[in-house]
């Protein structure tokens, strides 16, 4: 059985840190020999989730931090993003809804659709500490 | 006008491009070719910016077209269905030839 590899990260709730998270995540995914398409999907979904926390949950709390815990299993990747901001439920956006947004040339509302499309499972929990988002991605088979 | 993007277009860097784009449109530049050859990452923030200006430039007789998107960036256009709204070209030359006037 492949042992579970976990990593923890705490970042300031600022968009200027998104690039750093993507770089760290990319290196970890590469180190775990995750397929590049899976890696791209995970990085984009995590970036979208963090952007939502910074811009919505922490809208009036710019000095807050965001906790990130990620774990690599034998055939899956999971990540928990935790914040102490206002409730922000990552509702499912349907294909129909996103098509309407595109037709209307709306400039917002695409991030959640990307997350739900690219990840295999997303669960949200409002705890007494704040928001807790879990995202899981099944990984392709070319890992060692 | 050709706008050459490089690096990442995310929720942080989008503000800079938003200003540039607003200035272009305010100055009457409505034929915009976005050269994405050097862009290695785009998130929904960047995508939202591009589509948010589309009606405006088209209403003024221009267009905002996209050229040379890398596979991972092109994939985001496809997932969101933006490839059906924007004219996408393999390179800037093709965009110019097809009438996406620089």
């Amino acid at each position: 059985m492949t042992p579970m590899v976990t990593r923890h990260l705490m970042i300031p709730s600022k968009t200027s840190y998104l690039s750093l998270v993507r770089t760290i995540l990319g290196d970890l995914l590469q180190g775990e020999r995750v397929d590049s398409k899976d890696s791209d999907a995970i990085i984009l979904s995590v970036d979208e989730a963090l952007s939502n926390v910074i811009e919505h949950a922490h809208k009036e709390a710019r000095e807050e931090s965001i906790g990130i815990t990620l774990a690599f299993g034998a055939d899956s990747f999971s990540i928990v993003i935790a914040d102490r901001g206002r409730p922000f439920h990552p509702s499912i956006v349907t294909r129909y809804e996103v098509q309407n947004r595109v037709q209307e040339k709306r400039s917002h509302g695409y991030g959640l659709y990307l997350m739900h499309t690219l990840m295999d499972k997303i669960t949200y929990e409002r705890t007494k500490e704040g928001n807790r988002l879990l995202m899981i991605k099944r990984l392709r088979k070319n890992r060692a | 006008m050709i706008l050459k993007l490089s690096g990442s277009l995310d929720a942080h860097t989008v503000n800079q491009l938003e200003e540039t784009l607003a200035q272009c449109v305010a100055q009457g530049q409505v034929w915009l070719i976005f050269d994405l050859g050097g862009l290695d990452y785009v998130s929904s923030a960047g995508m939202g910016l591009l589509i948010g200006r589309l009606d405006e430039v088209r209403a003024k007789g221009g267009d905002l077209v996209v050229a040379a998107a890398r596979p991972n960036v092109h994939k985001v256009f496809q997932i969101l269905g933006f490839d059906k709204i924007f004219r996408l070209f393999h390179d800037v030359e093709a965009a110019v030839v097809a009438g996406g006037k620089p």
Side-chain angles (χ1 to χ4, degrees), chain B residues 9-44:
Chain B
L9 185 53
D10 64 10
H12 187 65
T13 57
V14 74
N15 297 326
Q16 195 183 343
L17 181 61
E18 194 165 15
E19 283 178 27
T20 305
L21 192 50
Q23 281 172 9
C24 287
V25 176
Q27 290 166 5
Q29 300 278 358
V30 291
W31 283 103
L32 302 168
I33 297 176
F34 274 81
D35 178 357
L36 305 189
L39 189 72
D40 51 37
Y41 177 81
V42 68
S43 71
S44 66

Side-chain angles (χ1 to χ4, degrees), chain A residues 16-101:
Chain A
S16 54
Y17 282 82
L18 292 172
S19 164
L20 178 65
V21 173
R22 292 197 302 271
T23 301
I24 292 171
L25 191 52
D27 286 349
L28 288 171
L29 291 163
Q30 196 174 22
E32 291 294 320
R33 302 181 64 178
V34 173
D35 173 272
S36 65
K37 286 182 181 169
D38 284 346
S39 181
D40 286 346
I42 289 167
I43 289 170
L44 180 53
S45 300
V46 171
D47 183 275
E48 296 291 353
L50 293 173
S51 299
N52 284 339
V53 171
I54 297 165
E55 292 174 358
H56 301 294
H58 283 166
K59 192 173 184 179
E60 290 159 10
R62 296 292 183 196
E63 300 309 313
E64 279 286 359
S65 298
I66 306 171
I68 302 167
T69 304
L70 46 92
F72 293 93
D75 56 6
S76 70
F77 166 88
S78 68
I79 184 162
V80 173
I81 295 172
D83 67 76
R84 290 183 290 184
R86 298 188 298 195
F88 182 76
H89 194 288
S91 311
I92 289 177
V93 178
T94 65
R95 177 86 191 141
Y96 177 75
E97 286 169 324
V98 89
Q99 282 174 342
N100 281 342
R101 285 181 192 276

Side-chain angles (χ1 to χ4, degrees), chain A residues 95-142:
Chain A
R95 177 86 191 141
Y96 177 75
E97 286 169 324
V98 89
Q99 282 174 342
N100 281 342
R101 285 181 192 276
V102 171
Q103 288 301 324
E104 293 167 6
K105 318 287 192 316
R106 299 264 292 271
S107 59
H108 292 92
Y110 301 108
L112 289 175
Y113 180 76
L114 287 172
M115 286 162 56
H116 285 284
T117 303
L118 295 170
M119 299 301 274
D120 292 302
K121 186 179 180 186
I122 295 182
T123 58
Y124 168 80
E125 199 183 349
R126 178 68 188 177
T127 69
K128 59 183 178 189
E129 285 86 24
N131 300 306
R132 185 179 182 279
L133 181 76
L134 166 67
M135 299 196 289
I136 297 173
K137 177 80 177 169
R138 284 192 297 275
L139 301 175
R140 286 163 220 245
K141 291 178 181 173
N142 67 340

